[in-house]
Amino acid sequence: MIRELVLDTETTGLNYEDGHRLVEIGIVELNNHIQTGNYFHYYLNPERDSDKRAEEIHGLSNSFLRKYKKFEDKAEEFHSFIKDSKLIIHNAQFDLSMLNNAFKRLGMKQISKDQAICTLEMAKKKFPGSKNNLNALCRRFNISLESREKHGALTDCKLLLEVYIELLGGKQEKLSLMVKQNEDSNLENFTMLNYEKNLVEVSHEEEIQHQLMLKKISNPIWSK
C-alpha cells in the first residue's frame, strides 16, 4: 500500500526571508491514489500581519488568525502525520521553503526535497508552454472550481488530488483479478477468485434489435 499526502499551505506573503510565515496547512491522505478520509488541517497564528495581496488571495484576516495556535504548537503533530510519506505539492519549492524555515526556527528536522512530488513540474513536462497553475489545470481536466472562491489549503488539496490523478493518466475503471494456482493443475491453469464488473440491463426490444443487426452481418467470424 502506497501512502501519499496531498499538501498545501497559505502564508502571510511570498518570501520567508522577509519574515513571512504560515497561516494555514492542509493535507489529504491517499492510499494507492485513493482518498482515505484522513486529513490534517489547521489555521495558524503567524504572529504578524499578512500582506494585503496575500490576504486577498486566502481571505484569512489578521484578527481571524490571532485566535489560533502557533506553528510551534502543531509542529510535532505535523511531523508525526507526514512521517516518510511522499508529499504531493503544487510548486513544492515554495511550500517546502516556508515549512522548512518554520522547522529551522524551532531547531527541528526539515523536509527533504526528495520526499516531495511537484505537480507543477509534472504539468510543465506534460504541457510545455501552457499555463500550469492549479486553476488552469482544473479547467484543462474539467474539474469544477465552484468550491474555490478563495485559496484555502484544504480546498486546494482536494482539487490538487484530482489534478494529480489526471497527470498520472486519469481515472480508470478498476478490474481486480486475483488468481491462485489449483493444487491439481499446472502453471497454466488458474482459478479466478474475485473480479468486479458492471452489469447493464438490456430490454426485450434491444435484444430483438441486436438479433436483427447480427443477421445483417455477412459471414460473421463467430460462425466459423
Side-chain angles (χ1 to χ4, degrees):
M1 185 174 292
I2 301 173
R3 182 179 189 253
E4 297 172 314
L5 303 173
V6 182
L7 181 149
D8 187 61
T9 66
E10 299 298 334
T11 64
T12 61
L14 296 178
N15 195 339
Y16 70 88
E17 293 180 343
D18 294 333
H20 287 296
R21 297 190 176 186
L22 299 160
V23 298
E24 185 183 10
I25 300 174
I27 303 176
V28 172
E29 182 187 63
L30 310 179
N31 277 335
N32 296 334
H33 307 322
I34 298 173
Q35 188 173 340
T36 66
N38 293 333
Y39 65 92
F40 180 100
H41 178 247
Y42 285 105
Y43 295 113
L44 301 167
N45 178 358
E47 300 182 276
R48 60 157 292 165
D49 289 347
S50 295
D51 282 353
K52 182 178 180 182
R53 177 55 180 157
E55 186 175 338
E56 288 174 353
I57 291 172
H58 54 60
L60 304 175
S61 69
N62 298 314
S63 59
F64 171 82
L65 293 169
R66 288 192 193 105
K67 62 186 178 183
Y68 288 95
K69 293 184 177 181
K70 305 169 188 176
F71 178 79
E72 62 193 61
D73 299 315
K74 297 296 179 182
E76 290 289 351
E77 185 181 351
F78 176 86
H79 251 311
S80 178
F81 188 85
I82 66 171
K83 299 178 182 178
D84 58 353
S85 299
K86 281 292 184 181
L87 305 176
I88 314 303
I89 310 173
H90 201 68
N91 192 6
Q93 182 177 355
F94 172 75
D95 293 85
L96 289 184
S97 70
M98 298 299 296
L99 286 164
N100 282 336
N101 182 62
F103 285 128
K104 184 178 179 180
R105 292 198 314 270
L106 300 175
M108 296 179 63
K109 180 182 176 182
Q110 298 181 38
I111 302 170
S112 168
K113 292 180 181 179
D114 295 336
Q115 192 173 342
I117 297 173
C118 182
T119 51
L120 178 59
E121 293 303 318
M122 290 175 66
K124 285 180 177 179
K125 290 178 181 178
K126 194 163 187 176
F127 309 113
S130 300
K131 284 187 177 181
N132 288 306
N133 58 42
L134 188 56
N135 274 3
L137 290 170
C138 285
R139 286 191 288 269
R140 176 183 289 275
F141 293 128
N142 294 317
I143 298 169
S144 174
L145 288 165
E146 288 183 5
S147 62
R148 204 189 193 208
E149 294 181 8
K150 295 283 186 180
H151 288 222
L154 202 56
T155 296
D156 287 0
C157 281
K158 292 175 181 178
L159 293 173
L160 182 56
L161 160 60
E162 295 190 62
V163 167
Y164 176 55
I165 297 302
E166 294 294 342
L167 289 172
L168 289 176
K171 298 175 181 176
Q172 299 180 0
E173 293 185 6
K174 293 183 177 179
L175 179 63
S176 175
L177 298 177
M178 299 176 62
V179 298
K180 75 174 183 179
Q181 185 182 354
N182 289 334
E183 292 181 359
D184 58 349
S185 66
N186 58 36
L187 290 175
E188 294 180 355
N189 295 319
F190 293 87
T191 300
M192 185 185 302
L193 296 180
N194 180 45
Y195 65 93
E196 296 176 7
K197 62 183 179 179
N198 293 323
L199 299 179
V200 179
E201 293 185 3
V202 179
S203 68
H204 179 64
E205 182 180 351
E206 287 172 326
E207 288 182 6
I208 294 174
Q209 292 299 322
H210 178 66
Q211 292 300 324
L212 291 174
M213 182 271 293
L214 293 179
K215 290 179 181 179
K216 295 179 181 178
I217 299 176
S218 60
N219 195 26
I221 190 171
W222 52 85
S223 297
K224 295 181 180 180

